Amino acid sequence: MERGNDTRISEFLLLGFSEDPELQSIISGLFLSMYLITVFGNLLIILAITSDAHLHTPMYFFLSNLSFVDICFTSTTIPKMLWNIQTQNKVITYEGCITQIYFLILFAVLDIFLLTAMAYDRFVAICHPLHYTVIMNPRLCGLLVLMSWIINILNSSLQSLMMLKLSFCTNIEIPHFFCELNHMVQLACSDTFLNNIVMYFAAVLLGGGPFVGILYSYSKIVSSIRRISSAQGKYKAFSTCASHLTVVSLFYCTMLGVYLSSAATHDAHSSATASVMYTVITPMLNPFIYSLRNKDMKRALKVLFVRRNV
């Protein structure tokens, strides 16, 4: 359909990582393995939490939601990439690309919001232990998750609608394994000023704002832990938030690394490789981080396996 000098295209090409068939087979096997580990690992976390009454606490309520979001996050990109490699077809439709962008933004920022809610939970548990059950009541926890969904649905809808206003010309090759918002805006041949403004404003507000909240929570947590007299008490207090701190560091550091490296090198293929860290590796590692050093979670998983074997 002609529109002035611009042509409304109906599909894009996801170039992925390599054109080499042998390397593609290795990549396919590797990503399939990581995807299955991510899905089954996070499903086990959800099942363990829902089946064990001892884990029906705010922290594990947020963790089960995080596991669900991580499954959805990886399912937005990996199955399509595996299908493209299997069929040797790199095409993704215009509608499919916009849909992928919508869900990528939704689940990525939901991850951030849930990590922030978990940081607030640890802040209340360590800094205000006597009021913990009163403050972190089921109504507040449910409200935090509900508001996170509402805010991110609105944000994803806005970003996707902004994308629909862009026109694309002849360059339909995406040097990535999924439709990433920033790359798509760069491919457009119409004016992208407003898109960039909205995109960076949302990144600062919805990415930077929660990060400041996490930093504030942990500054108060560290201050409270330092006031504990016994070494055992300090260790116990810190161990309750060590897993969360590891996940937060991994998620933010990898995401920041991706955008800093892409800005410095302007190499799209390097950016695609680096983005694997926060789109695939981090969701895959989350179940291990939260279960290996967590006695309650390990106990719940053992009970779950025993029930399944009986």
Side-chain angles (χ1 to χ4, degrees):
M1 182 174 68
E2 294 294 330
R3 183 190 283 182
N5 292 327
D6 296 337
T7 304
R8 175 66 71 179
I9 62 171
S10 60
E11 59 188 32
F12 296 95
L13 296 177
L14 294 171
L15 299 184
F17 296 102
S18 173
E19 298 283 345
D20 185 355
E22 290 186 7
L23 192 56
Q24 282 189 341
S25 298
I26 296 171
I27 291 170
S28 177
L30 182 63
F31 273 79
L32 178 61
S33 301
M34 290 192 292
Y35 178 66
L36 292 175
I37 292 170
T38 301
V39 172
F40 287 119
N42 282 289
L43 275 177
L44 280 176
I45 294 291
I46 294 170
L47 288 172
I49 292 171
T50 53
S51 63
D52 192 332
H54 295 96
L55 299 183
H56 293 175
T57 62
M59 182 65 179
Y60 292 108
F61 170 70
F62 293 131
L63 178 57
S64 62
N65 277 274
L66 182 70
S67 294
F68 172 73
V69 169
D70 279 343
I71 292 171
C72 296
F73 188 33
T74 52
S75 298
T76 305
T77 57
I78 305 305
K80 175 61 179 172
M81 187 197 75
L82 294 174
W83 175 259
N84 285 1
I85 293 175
Q86 189 67 29
T87 59
Q88 293 295 303
N89 184 3
K90 299 177 181 181
V91 171
I92 183 170
T93 63
Y94 177 82
E95 294 79 9
C97 203
I98 298 297
T99 303
Q100 197 174 64
I101 287 172
Y102 174 87
F103 285 109
L104 271 170
I105 296 170
L106 174 65
F107 295 126
V109 188
L110 261 174
D111 253 1
I112 294 172
F113 273 56
L114 289 170
L115 289 172
T116 308
M118 293 167 80
Y120 178 69
D121 173 79
R122 292 300 84 201
F123 161 71
V124 176
I126 293 172
C127 300
H128 305 283
L130 298 178
H131 301 98
Y132 179 73
T133 53
V134 176
I135 297 172
M136 298 303 297
N137 57 73
R139 184 172 177 273
L140 176 65
C141 294
L143 193 61
L144 286 172
V145 172
L146 178 62
M147 289 304 297
S148 296
W149 276 95
I150 291 172
I151 291 169
N152 284 290
I153 286 172
L154 292 173
N155 174 52
S156 298
S157 300
L158 175 62
Q159 300 279 7
S160 300
L161 288 171
M162 294 289 292
M163 279 297 301
L164 290 172
K165 293 180 178 295
L166 296 180
S167 298
F168 297 89
C169 300
T170 56
N171 186 12
I172 61 170
E173 293 185 343
I174 303 171
H176 221 301
F177 65 96
F178 61 87
C179 292
E180 198 260 344
L181 179 62
N182 192 39
H183 279 109
M184 294 302 297
V185 171
Q186 290 175 8
L187 283 178
C189 57
S190 55
D191 183 31
T192 60
F193 177 75
L194 191 56
N195 291 76
N196 284 315
I197 291 293
V198 172
M199 182 171 60
Y200 290 120
F201 178 76
V204 171
L205 185 65
L206 303 179
F211 184 62
V212 171
I214 292 171
L215 288 178
Y216 175 79
S217 296
Y218 273 102
S219 68
K220 292 294 184 182
I221 288 170
V222 170
S223 180
S224 294
I225 290 175
R226 288 180 64 186
R227 288 198 294 268
I228 299 174
S229 56
S230 67
Q232 186 178 359
K234 288 181 179 180
Y235 175 78
K236 186 178 179 181
F238 180 75
S239 63
T240 62
C241 53
S243 297
H244 175 258
L245 190 58
T246 303
V247 171
V248 168
S249 302
L250 189 64
F251 186 84
Y252 267 100
C253 288
T254 52
M255 187 172 281
L256 188 64
V258 167
Y259 288 101
L260 287 178
S261 64
S262 62
T265 61
H266 299 286
D267 185 353
H269 287 286
S270 297
S271 175
T273 306
S275 66
V276 172
M277 286 300 295
Y278 76 88
T279 57
V280 184
I281 303 297
T282 302
M284 182 184 71
L285 292 179
N286 283 356
F288 295 100
I289 294 170
Y290 277 106
S291 60
L292 293 178
R293 294 190 53 168
N294 190 311
K295 292 180 181 179
D296 292 332
M297 185 59 69
K298 283 193 283 189
R299 178 183 51 78
L301 287 170
K302 284 179 182 177
V303 171
L304 184 66
F305 281 120
V306 168
R307 285 179 182 174
R308 294 290 180 273
N309 292 328
V310 170

